[in-house]
Amino acid sequence: MNAAAGGAMEVTPGTGTMETTAGTSRVVEFAIAGMTCAACSARLEKVLNRQPGIQANVNLAAERARVRLAGEADEGAVIAAVARAGFAASLVDKDTRAREKARRAADYQREIRRFWIAVALTLPLVGQMFFMFGDAHHHPELPRWLQLALATPVQFWIGWRFYDGAYKALRGGGANMDVLVALGTSMAWGFSAAVTLLGLDQHVYFEGGAAVITLVLLGKLLEARAKARTSEAIESLIRLQPKTARIERDGQWVEIAVDALMPGDIFMVRPGESVPVDGEVVDGASSVNEAMLTGESMPVGKAAGDKVFAATANGQGALRCRATGVGEQTLLAAIIRLVGEAQGSKAPVQRLADQISAVFVPVVCVIALATFAGWWLYAGDFAEALVNAVAVLVIACPCALGLATPTAIMVGTGQGARAGILVKNVEALERAEKIAVLALDKTGTLTRGEPQVTDIVSLALDADQALRLAAALEQGSEHPLARAVLARAVAVDLSKVANFTATPGQGVAGEVDGRSLRLGAPEWLGMANDPAVLRLQQAGKTVVVLEEAGTALALLAIADALRPTSRVAVERLRARGIRVVMLTGDNAATAAAIAHEAGIDEFRAGILPGAKAAAVAELKSGGLVAMVGDGINDAPALAAADVSFAIGAGSDAAVEAADLTLIRSDLCGVDDAIELSRATLGKIRQNLFFAFIYNVLGIPLAAFGMLNPVVAGAAMAMSSVSVVSNSLLLKRWRPQGR
């Protein structure tokens, strides 16, 4: 179900809480510390979902948990449950990202220092391996006490993180990657230490445990570095907004922090500056580069009455503006919030990976035990059995499996945001590549959404008087056609309307200057077959009739020009094999003219707003249906569709109602979103293949004694790095034509 059906959400500034108007539940976001692999996130999610009133979604790559709280459940219960599971949780606020960035930078530097210490201690141990290919009894071997001295700090100091993580996981009732690494390396070190201390005539494997820990640490460092790049899209958006603004106070211009701006404040944007908040131009003229929000490189002209958006770059002119949206109410804030939500949500394709991760570690431990027992019974060599069991434990690390989906999603949704495509939930993004039927609203979607009165045909009243009466009636209506009539009569002194009523999809009625009038569709007023009406409709114009006591006084023809890119977009969509259908409340003649101009073969005319949802449901017989609308008026149809797109820059209603929002007022964005869906899902499938193939091939090889633990450690580390690096290739994605 789309958000349109469930109510809009509001973000409380400065907290991680999102209140929903649809009920008493609320969604809270937590930062999670201590997760190391997919098993961690799967176990934590299971622990949280067992708590009463808590529904959680845990994202390993983003290190976030989005939790829906209901009933008596509160933030404290979540933090306590996370702690019992062996992790740490903190409520996300406006400063969380900065704190996390600083913490990760410090942790990264500390881990680098430990890694180089591990390298220095491990290299002498590993160096011996190069001599093993010769005569095993004559290669120069370091004294065993020296090997013990070198390996022990690596095992218990450098590798303490694995013991700590394993203890917390087991205490929480689960197992993770740390259990595998700690168990495998401890077995190798323990056996070798016993041989050394007891003076037994056995080979020691200090180099195996030390090398595995060092290689795993290297993999973690490379993984952390790559993961940081997956969130660059949000970071770049955050950096866009200026820190200060120039506002008018008592006739003087004063520079203040952007956070201190209030709705209604007058602010100045000088040439070359960025717009601090959303606003409306009061005076001045300039061109503004909105590429950072819409992906459109061409500057947009701005004059008095036009909207400007936070973080967009002003051109050569100066603009004096009135603040309309500040803080969390700006379009930029909405984009950042939606990108973050999308990156924290799960695609259905990830469910398989989650299910496997939940049972993976226990199964691997059983396989390792069976390998140990089998080799000991078969070969009668305890040391050989131990080495092969350790190799199984090490190669089986499920890190890559847990990173396969979220890293691709984080990069894909980030690239979408840069191109003006906002993904509200990843499930919709996954479905987008399977769209078979695309239903299009006409006004504001195919057309510019700026209807204008083109003709006034006098029948029983002169044109000026007809316009005055019609505009007076439309004062109480918010319909786009009403705005067109009022715009034409902007210089006319309008009378007040009494007893105003509106019939959805038909027209309005009321009393103006003592005259009982109706203004609406020809079908409503019995003029559907009038030759003058038909002539205007066949020209692609929408006709409304002004009537008094059954007598038609005048005809008003209103036209809304087709967007320049609409025909190109329809051609691109049809080239994909998508069936394009236009849904409109207009009459058949006008609909046919617009459909022909846009290159659409199929349309449904005369559909009332409430019936669009039924029309969308009917189209589902032809496959997965997407709906494109331009605002909250299309909410029922958007909710009924399998995938919903909202088109139109700066529309708060559209942002909240749709699965995907196209910030640019361009239907080509739908095709771009479908291509983004295919690119992202393609990367996810590749990643899952890489993750599975490492384990499917690696575990049997290790079990049959064909993998040394050191080689297994290197392969395990590189599996995570390869998955994240493959996801980063999505940064190459660009919308068609740009």
Side-chain angles (χ1 to χ4, degrees):
M1 182 66 68
N2 297 318
M9 292 197 300
E10 300 175 356
V11 177
T12 305
T15 74
T17 303
M18 286 177 259
E19 303 287 348
T20 176
T21 58
T24 57
S25 66
R26 53 200 176 95
V27 177
V28 185
E29 188 172 15
F30 294 88
I32 306 296
M35 295 190 298
T36 57
C37 68
C40 294
S41 58
R43 178 167 56 83
L44 179 57
E45 194 169 283
K46 187 181 293 184
V47 167
L48 290 173
N49 286 328
R50 284 202 297 259
Q51 309 303 313
I54 293 176
Q55 182 182 350
N57 178 20
V58 180
N59 186 310
L60 171 65
E63 298 180 348
R64 289 285 195 273
R66 291 178 58 79
V67 182
R68 184 177 296 278
L69 301 175
E72 299 297 321
D74 59 13
E75 291 85 345
V78 176
I79 293 172
V82 172
R84 287 195 300 272
F87 308 102
S90 59
L91 191 64
V92 172
D93 58 31
K94 62 185 179 77
D95 299 320
T96 296
R97 192 174 298 277
R99 287 199 306 270
E100 284 190 334
K101 191 174 181 179
R103 176 183 61 80
R104 287 173 182 169
D107 290 346
Y108 187 73
Q109 291 300 320
R110 184 170 61 253
E111 292 296 335
I112 284 181
R113 288 193 296 270
R114 290 190 176 187
F115 168 72
W116 286 116
I117 294 171
V119 169
L121 295 171
T122 303
L123 273 178
L125 298 171
V126 176
Q128 302 177 105
M129 297 175 62
F130 294 105
F131 299 98
M132 292 182 181
F133 299 103
D135 187 347
H137 296 286
H138 295 91
H139 73 268
E141 186 181 47
L142 290 176
R144 291 185 176 182
W145 62 265
L146 180 58
Q147 293 187 51
L148 176 63
L150 292 171
T152 301
V154 178
Q155 184 69 43
F156 297 106
W157 178 47
I158 305 296
W160 178 251
R161 55 181 294 170
F162 302 111
Y163 290 100
D164 184 57
Y167 169 73
K168 290 177 178 177
L170 294 171
R171 188 185 66 181
N176 61 2
M177 179 207 75
D178 293 332
V179 173
L180 297 180
V181 175
L183 184 60
T185 58
S186 295
M187 289 169 63
W189 183 91
F191 173 78
S192 301
V195 169
T196 300
L197 296 173
L198 297 176
L200 303 177
D201 187 20
Q202 293 278 350
H203 183 71
V204 293
Y205 298 94
F206 287 118
E207 77 281 350
V212 165
I213 289 174
T214 303
L215 287 169
V216 171
L217 189 57
L218 174 61
K220 286 291 179 185
L221 289 172
L222 294 174
E223 179 189 308
R225 188 173 179 180
K227 280 169 63 179
R229 294 179 61 194
T230 64
S231 59
E232 282 180 355
I234 286 188
E235 295 291 341
S236 63
L237 288 172
I238 293 171
R239 289 194 298 267
L240 288 174
Q241 189 168 17
K243 303 299 182 187
T244 61
R246 290 172 58 84
I247 68 166
E248 194 174 28
R249 287 277 194 268
D250 301 323
Q252 301 291 320
W253 292 104
V254 182
E255 192 166 292
I256 66 169
V258 168
D259 293 343
L261 269 172
M262 299 293 289
D265 282 344
I266 302 297
F267 62 90
M268 173 67 74
V269 186
R270 292 177 293 187
E273 291 184 339
S274 294
V275 180
V277 295
D278 290 2
E280 183 179 313
V281 179
V282 176
D283 57 58
S286 185
S287 58
V288 176
N289 187 342
E290 298 180 344
M292 58 288 297
L293 297 184
T294 67
E296 182 58 61
S297 58
M298 291 297 294
V300 180
K302 302 291 183 181
D306 291 334
K307 292 181 178 180
V308 291
F309 304 104
T312 54
N314 187 28
Q316 297 302 309
L319 297 173
R320 185 167 169 265
C321 309
R322 179 181 293 106
T324 57
V326 300
E328 293 296 319
Q329 282 72 51
T330 65
L331 178 60
L332 177 65
I335 291 173
I336 293 170
R337 184 175 75 249
L338 287 175
V339 173
E341 288 176 12
Q343 293 183 344
S345 63
K346 283 186 181 179
V349 73
Q350 193 176 344
R351 291 169 187 160
L352 175 62
D354 288 346
Q355 291 169 357
I356 293 173
S357 298
V359 298
F360 191 80
V361 175
V363 170
V364 169
C365 289
V366 171
I367 295 173
L369 183 62
T371 300
F372 176 79
W375 275 96
W376 198 5
L377 292 173
Y378 171 75
D381 189 336
F382 178 86
E384 188 174 9
L386 177 67
V387 169
N388 293 332
V390 171
V392 170
L393 291 171
V394 172
I395 193 67
C397 176
C399 288
L401 195 61
L403 295 169
T405 299
T407 53
I409 287 169
M410 291 175 73
V411 179
T413 53
Q415 289 300 103
R418 288 179 174 175
I421 303 167
L422 297 186
V423 181
K424 191 165 188 178
N425 68 78
V426 182
E427 189 170 350
L429 183 66
E430 181 173 337
R431 289 196 299 266
E433 69 165 357
K434 303 171 186 172
I435 293 171
V437 183
L438 185 70
L440 299 171
D441 178 47
K442 178 179 75 70
T443 304
T445 301
L446 278 168
T447 64
R448 292 181 179 273
E450 301 170 356
Q452 297 177 332
V453 176
T454 58
D455 304 87
I456 302 176
V457 180
S458 299
L459 298 177
L461 197 67
D462 69 80
D464 291 341
Q465 185 69 359
L467 177 63
R468 189 182 72 82
L469 293 175
L473 275 176
E474 295 286 32
Q475 290 177 98
S477 175
E478 292 296 323
H479 196 278
L481 298 184
R483 292 196 293 270
V485 174
L486 290 167
R488 179 67 179 267
V490 67
V492 178
D493 187 20
L494 302 180
S495 302
K496 291 184 178 180
V497 60
N499 300 320
F500 175 83
T501 59
T503 304
Q506 301 291 355
V508 296
E511 295 179 8
V512 179
D513 296 338
R515 306 175 69 167
S516 183
L517 304 168
R518 291 196 297 174
L519 180 71
E523 296 81 5
W524 188 44
L525 301 174
M527 295 278 291
N529 297 318
D530 185 87
V533 171
L534 293 173
R535 186 170 60 254
L536 291 168
Q537 289 176 344
Q538 288 165 0
K541 299 174 181 179
T542 300
V543 180
V544 292
V545 182
L546 181 64
E547 182 218 66
E548 182 182 21
T551 300
L553 303 180
L555 305 177
L556 282 75
I558 301 169
D560 188 6
L562 200 71
R563 295 186 188 274
T565 56
S566 290
R567 188 175 181 90
V568 174
V570 170
E571 289 174 354
R572 284 171 56 179
L573 290 163
R574 292 180 65 179
R576 291 186 181 274
I578 296 174
R579 174 186 168 199
V580 181
V581 183
M582 184 180 76
L583 306 179
T584 178
D586 252 332
N587 63 86
T590 302
I594 295 294
H596 177 75
E597 189 179 355
I600 298 173
D601 296 330
E602 189 177 352
F603 63 87
R604 310 283 175 87
I607 298 179
L608 299 178
K612 279 188 180 180
V616 168
E618 183 186 336
L619 290 171
K620 288 186 177 182
S621 60
L624 191 142
V625 176
M627 172 69 191
V628 188
D630 65 323
I632 203 64
N633 291 336
D634 296 310
L638 292 172
D642 299 304
V643 182
S644 59
F645 296 85
I647 188 168
S651 172
D652 293 338
V655 168
E656 296 293 349
D659 295 321
L660 296 98
T661 298
L662 311 176
I663 300 299
R664 289 188 299 128
S665 299
D666 188 345
L667 198 58
C668 286
V670 175
D671 184 70
D672 292 333
I674 294 172
E675 185 58 37
L676 177 63
S677 168
R678 294 184 176 182
T680 304
L681 269 293
K683 283 295 176 210
I684 290 174
R685 295 184 185 106
Q686 292 172 15
N687 287 347
L688 289 173
F689 173 79
F690 291 151
F692 279 121
I693 205 70
Y694 269 106
N695 290 322
V696 169
L697 295 179
I699 292 175
L701 288 174
F704 286 105
M706 301 172 69
L707 273 183
N708 182 280
V710 177
V711 177
M716 182 269 290
M718 293 312 300
S719 68
S720 297
V721 176
S722 65
V723 162
V724 179
S725 300
N726 189 51
S727 294
L728 288 172
L729 292 177
L730 271 173
K731 287 181 172 288
R732 298 177 179 179
W733 180 86
R734 295 290 185 276
Q736 188 173 325
R738 282 186 282 155

